[in-house]
Amino acid sequence: IYIVFILLQREDLRNRLIRLAGSGDLQRTTLALNDAAGRLARYLLAQLLLNTGFGAVVGIGLTVIGVPSPLLWGIVAIFMRFIPYIGIVGAAAAPLLLAAAADPGWGAVIETAAFFVVIEFVTGQMIEPLVFGHNTGISPIAVVVSATFWTWLWGPVGLVLSTPLTVCVVVIGRHVSRLAFLDVLLGDAPALTEIELFYQRMLAGDPSEILDHADRFLAEHALLDYCDAVAMPALMMAQGDVRRGALDETRQERIRDTMRILAQDLADREDVAAAAGEALEVSGGGSDGGGGRSIIDPAWTADGSVLCFAGRSSLDEAAAHLLADVLHEHGIGVRVEAAETLLRGLPPGRNASSTRLAVLSFFDAEVGIAHARVALRRLRRRVPGVPVVAAFWTAEDLPHDLSEAARCDACVSDLPRAVRACLERAAAPPADEAATVAPAKMEAAR
């Protein structure tokens, strides 16, 4: 009776529900209703298709076993599986009884029971949660949890309605901000973004899970894209916590150590996109004709040709490891120097006579321009006469006063610009230019 009257007055009930939700925001209410209707329609269609396939498998299997009327029991199985989890019991009961009556032994009964157990396990525990979760917007574990909850609350009726009711709950959580936790708990959207997951795993000191996500990303993108889109924003999140006083030195060092390990692991993996010739184009340098990838001067391949100095903190050093990893991928010899090298006035860790370029890695330089100036002054004392690139990592372009205060050979604010600045200096000159420059140098020497 309820179903009949609801269907007869569905437009009136819909309008009353919109009025109850608030007629001042018709757009959001209509969107929520359409979202719920679409999800339920996809759920019912997916359930019909899945049950039809299940019934076809049952009919074929019972034919092979030799149970009478297999087509009938396949059709019964289609309808019985609309009752979640327990409908399979009714679908299997009659074939088991017929198998026992038709076969004088126990072989057919055992084969029929095993057959239903296997196909129900595969369908109900593997295929069904994935299919329903994908089509309804709820996670596979939420499908199981919702069946438990609604069955406990309403018994068999709750079991039948568990997935549709949970779909409605998720839609409410998605469109009502105060109930957004329902969408987080039950929805199929990722709980954390790649950047948030990267930062959380760095805090935990677990590079293995980061590396697993990086492998999937690098299957379609270049190493520079991953470092710029995921790793560097994660370090900026960490710097934001440092600025608020929420990240102590111990955890900063853990992030730095995790980044160092991750950089070493990433260096051992083939960058598919870069290998396909999608590397950064370098203006003014040579090219091998393979999609703009620069030819590096052999003199820049020696270890320590580029020294990346951490300006002040462990996070600065972690960013320096990122830059060094990308430069290593392009064939440049890079070495990272810890923040103590500048803070305590120490010389570089190894012989710096082959150094051709120095890079300063510094977060929050726009907050403390004086700190950036001091770091640059100390860097020039460490490697006198070497060109300096100041990499002041920010989410936006560098402030004009900071660029003026840096007074260095190049001032950059993000990873692609820093890589480009290094590659432009490390690129080998074209062959005709090299042939012209060499005699001039010999004449000048004479």
Side-chain angles (χ1 to χ4, degrees), residues 49-229:
L49 295 176
L50 187 63
N51 290 353
T52 302
F54 182 86
V57 173
V58 167
I60 296 172
L62 295 181
T63 301
V64 173
I65 295 173
V67 176
S69 305
L71 178 60
L72 172 63
W73 307 125
I75 296 174
V76 170
I78 292 175
F79 290 100
M80 293 300 294
R81 284 207 84 260
F82 278 97
I83 305 175
Y85 304 104
I86 62 173
I88 188 63
V89 177
L96 285 172
L97 292 176
L98 281 178
D103 188 0
W106 292 97
V109 177
I110 296 175
E111 290 176 0
T112 303
F115 171 69
F116 273 99
V117 168
V118 170
I119 63 171
E120 175 60 23
F121 177 81
V122 172
T123 305
Q125 306 302 321
M126 298 181 183
I127 301 176
E128 194 172 68
L130 294 176
V131 172
F132 288 170
H134 175 73
N135 284 280
T136 60
I138 59 179
S139 64
I141 187 63
V143 174
V144 180
V145 172
S146 65
T148 305
F149 173 77
W150 293 110
T151 303
W152 167 77
L153 187 65
W154 286 345
V157 175
L159 179 61
V160 174
L161 299 177
S162 60
T163 300
L165 289 172
T166 306
V167 169
C168 295
V169 170
V170 170
V171 171
I172 291 173
R174 185 159 296 180
H175 294 278
V176 180
S177 58
R178 294 185 179 181
L179 299 177
F181 69 93
L182 294 173
D183 184 34
V184 174
L185 290 176
L186 303 175
D188 61 346
L192 297 177
T193 64
E194 287 285 342
I195 297 172
E196 293 168 340
L197 181 62
F198 190 103
Y199 180 34
Q200 194 275 329
R201 289 292 87 196
M202 282 199 304
L203 289 173
D206 179 19
S208 58
E209 187 172 348
I210 299 176
L211 192 61
D212 182 56
H213 286 267
D215 286 339
R216 293 198 291 268
F217 190 98
L218 293 177
E220 300 178 357
H221 301 85
L223 178 62
L224 176 59
D225 295 334
Y226 177 75
C227 293
D228 182 55

Side-chain angles (χ1 to χ4, degrees), residues 218-430:
L218 293 177
E220 300 178 357
H221 301 85
L223 178 62
L224 176 59
D225 295 334
Y226 177 75
C227 293
D228 182 55
V230 179
M232 188 60 74
L235 289 179
M236 290 182 180
M237 289 182 63
Q239 185 61 35
D241 286 343
V242 171
R243 195 181 304 161
R244 295 187 298 105
L247 193 65
D248 55 29
E249 183 61 32
T250 301
R251 288 189 289 176
Q252 292 182 52
E253 293 175 355
R254 182 184 302 168
I255 291 175
R256 177 202 60 194
D257 296 339
T258 304
M259 186 65 73
R260 182 188 298 139
I261 296 172
L262 179 64
Q264 294 172 354
D265 291 336
L266 289 176
D268 297 333
R269 280 160 170 76
E270 180 182 3
D271 188 339
V272 177
E278 298 178 6
L280 197 65
E281 291 188 8
V282 180
S283 61
S287 176
D288 61 0
R293 191 177 179 83
S294 60
I295 299 177
I296 301 301
D297 190 332
W300 287 73
T301 60
D303 181 43
S305 297
V306 176
L307 288 182
C308 294
F309 288 86
R312 181 173 52 179
S313 67
S314 298
L315 295 183
D316 296 335
E317 185 176 347
H321 280 290
L322 274 182
L323 175 60
D325 197 25
V326 178
L327 293 179
H328 271 304
E329 194 266 338
H330 284 83
I332 298 179
V334 191
R335 191 166 72 241
V336 177
E337 296 290 343
E340 288 78 7
T341 304
L342 295 181
L343 293 177
R344 300 180 184 177
L346 301 175
R350 279 176 275 182
N351 184 17
S353 60
S354 62
T355 300
R356 296 173 174 271
L357 181 67
V359 180
L360 175 67
S361 173
F362 209 108
F363 278 106
D364 272 358
E366 75 276 12
V367 177
I369 297 179
H371 292 290
R373 285 177 176 174
V374 171
L376 282 168
R377 194 178 303 123
R378 290 173 176 172
L379 188 151
R380 289 192 175 97
R381 288 201 300 266
R382 301 284 77 75
V383 283
V386 174
V388 174
V389 174
F392 298 137
W393 311 115
T394 64
E396 301 176 353
D397 290 337
L398 288 174
H400 179 71
D401 54 351
L402 179 59
S403 300
E404 291 291 330
R407 296 180 181 177
C408 53
D409 297 272
C411 191
V412 298
S413 61
D414 57 35
L415 201 58
R417 290 189 178 97
V419 174
R420 187 183 298 275
C422 295
L423 293 182
E424 286 177 349
R425 288 161 176 78

